[in-house]
Amino acid sequence: MEKITKTDAEWREQLSDMAYKVTRKHGTERAGTYEDFPKEAGTYNCVCCGLPVFDQAHKFESGTGWPSFYKPADDENVETSEDRKLFMKRTEVHCARCEAHLGHVFPDGPDPTGLRYCINGVALDFDPEI
């Protein structure tokens, strides 16, 4: 996959302050910030580059206050890396095309994967299925 790279100034111009903080500076939005997510079929795209990263069909209610999915829309569209911030070991999830920080993945999700992709709502842009 061809990578998208931009300068810090270009990302700042394109994104809201919160989206920039989360996606480019590895921040986290406050839980419950984006609780009113669409219920209809569609795809959640990376807010930075538009790559489809999660599908509404894989979303579930985790009770955490962040959008949660049990698998990506396409395994090739998300990548993971080790995150040792906050004095703990976690697995960070980021966009494979632009390296935007999306959230983290945990091994406490539902079947069929057992995974919980805990994703910042501000990192996603919903595209309804037409």
Side-chain angles (χ1 to χ4, degrees):
M1 176 177 306
E2 188 171 331
K3 298 286 186 180
I4 290 177
T5 57
K6 295 184 180 186
T7 66
D8 199 51
E10 288 172 318
W11 287 123
R12 279 187 182 276
E13 185 176 317
Q14 174 186 329
L15 301 167
S16 70
D17 289 343
M18 180 58 78
Y20 173 80
K21 177 184 173 187
V22 168
T23 61
R24 307 321 308 175
K25 297 299 179 185
H26 303 262
T28 300
E29 67 195 9
R30 192 176 74 249
T33 302
Y34 296 91
E35 290 184 344
D36 191 26
F37 270 84
K39 304 289 187 235
E40 68 267 22
T43 304
Y44 292 93
N45 302 316
C46 172
V47 73
C48 294
C49 72
L51 186 69
V53 287
F54 293 98
D55 190 286
Q56 178 74 318
H58 307 142
K59 189 173 183 298
F60 69 96
E61 181 53 52
S62 66
T64 63
W66 288 280
S68 297
F69 304 86
Y70 62 83
K71 73 177 197 169
D74 185 324
D75 289 337
E76 293 183 5
N77 292 359
V78 298
E79 295 176 340
T80 59
S81 60
E82 188 175 288
D83 175 1
R84 290 192 171 265
K85 295 179 208 100
L86 302 177
F87 307 105
M88 64 180 89
K89 181 180 172 186
R90 299 182 296 176
T91 303
E92 179 181 336
V93 177
H94 50 91
C95 174
R97 183 161 57 191
C98 71
E99 299 181 350
H101 169 75
L102 302 175
H104 292 86
V105 61
F106 302 95
D108 61 0
D111 289 334
T113 65
L115 299 174
R116 174 175 53 95
Y117 287 83
C118 189
I119 305 299
N120 290 284
V122 72
L124 302 173
D125 184 29
F126 186 71
D127 185 17
E129 194 174 283
I130 297 175

